[in-house]
Amino acid sequence: MSRNTQVSIHLDAIKSNFNVAQNLAPQSKNIAVIKANAYGHGMLKVAQTLEDIVPAFAVAIFDEAVTLREAGIQKPILILQGVHSCEELEYAIQHNFWLMVHNQSQLEILLKYPIVGDLKIWLKLDSGMHRLGFDSVQFQFAFSQLSYKNPKTIQQNLVLCSHFCAASNSETDSVDSQLKLFNQTISNLDNHSKFEKSLANSAAIMGFESSHVEWNRPGIMLYGVSPFDHPHSKDNLLKPTMTFTSEVIGLRKVAAGEGVGYNHQWIAEKAETIATVSVGYADGYPFAAKSGTAVIVAGQKAELVGRVSMDMISINVSKCNHVNIGDKVELWGQNLAAATIAKSANTIGYELFTGVSARVPRIYK
Ligand SMILES: *Cc1c(COP(=O)(O)O)cnc(C)c1O
């Protein structure tokens, strides 16, 4: 028997979360974002699960798109960082990849080839994220060059897009100002109303109906985590998709004044019962998780104590009944929101999910 630390992936829940995105934006087509191994869930399995119900997939980088094609996925795949050479562009054209174009050198590569067939070019405006994309003036110039080179196909094959920097944050009106800049910029383009557009990530799909256009790009919401940094009325539409479990492999009593784990970072104030669990930061349990972080053992609430080790954590089970060696422990998932654990480790659900390491088997349910 192998070590009993694993993640269960709930494929039906991913499907259901995709349908939530679709129902929230019924006029839009939703591209399932499955970059970074589908946020740690297994890119191929997730792609196979969604292929019949999505119009297209999005990944971050070229290699991810190649992996999907080589494994037999046939839907269009948008590469969010685009391609970086003529070789990649030729491969992309042959394999029905769609390409984000966000800088001048990508544009120059693209201008060497006719834009025909099913190739979609996603021209990206930097409307405020200040990470990728053309500024307003460059964007209009890029648009003119592409239109000039491809007068017949451009309307069919170009998507005008941008990305929000803080749609998950209730304390800014950045979405409104980004939308305004986007709309202003595209209003200067010839026949602008005839072009498809794309703006919304998960937070905008759930929170800003005004951002829903022809194409949306849901990511984290497919994996059941609220994108918001505050409680939101639509959070409970999403179902958890990843349950991270391990088991108790040690049990002991500690007396008042005794420390637990490296550097005795936690010291018992009274006699306590401590269980050792076979999961650590090498598996993707966050090193930064604080003492007091919630854990579920044999269906009961317990708390992390002391420092997270490479392969183990310690939990205080004094308030639980009958904890035994071999008992199942849930670290996050169906009974414990990943967002809660993320908060306690000063991180975000995205990082927890993508951080589950290769040592941990993914079991598909
Ligand atoms: C990752 C990504 C998304 C999805 O974002 P979520 O917050 O996970 O919904 C959408 N668009 C772009 C450009 C991205 O990089």
Side-chain angles (χ1 to χ4, degrees), residues 62 64-67 69 75-79 83 88 91-99 118-120:
F62 182 76
E64 293 174 324
V66 172
T67 301
R69 270 296 172 268
K75 284 275 159 81
I77 304 169
L78 168 63
I79 304 177
V83 292
E88 285 184 355
Y91 187 99
I93 292 169
Q94 279 162 21
H95 292 84
N96 195 19
F97 296 165
W98 294 348
L99 305 175
D118 297 326
L119 180 64
K120 273 196 193 291

Side-chain angles (χ1 to χ4, degrees), residues 86 89 101 103-113 134 145-146 149:
C86 294
L89 177 56
V101 173
N103 68 27
Q104 190 60 31
S105 74
Q106 289 183 324
L107 181 65
E108 278 160 22
I109 294 170
L110 200 63
L111 288 169
K112 296 186 179 146
Y113 295 78
F134 296 94
Q145 287 176 290
L146 286 167
K149 276 284 233 175

Side-chain angles (χ1 to χ4, degrees), residues 33 35 39 80 124 131 163 201-202 217-220 350:
V33 180
K35 62 192 178 187
Y39 294 48
L80 295 167
K124 186 165 198 171
R131 189 177 65 176
H163 190 48
N201 56 1
S202 298
R217 307 184 305 269
I220 194 71
Y350 299 75

Side-chain angles (χ1 to χ4, degrees), residues 167-211:
S168 62
N169 183 333
S170 60
E171 283 163 18
T172 128
D173 55 5
S174 63
V175 169
D176 294 335
S177 55
Q178 288 189 259
L179 269 176
K180 197 167 155 207
L181 181 60
F182 181 79
N183 288 327
Q184 255 168 18
T185 304
I186 67 169
S187 69
N188 295 326
L189 309 177
D190 289 344
N191 294 319
H192 64 89
S193 61
K194 302 212 170 114
F195 286 83
E196 292 186 320
K197 301 173 286 306
S198 177
L199 294 164
N201 56 1
S202 298
I205 292 168
M206 292 174 69
F208 296 90
E209 217 175 302
S210 57
S211 72

Side-chain angles (χ1 to χ4, degrees), residues 232-250:
H232 189 275
S233 60
K234 302 207 172 79
D235 287 349
N236 61 7
L237 299 175
L238 304 177
K239 294 189 181 149
T241 60
M242 177 194 283
T243 304
F244 192 7
T245 55
S246 181
E247 70 181 19
V248 174
I249 59 165

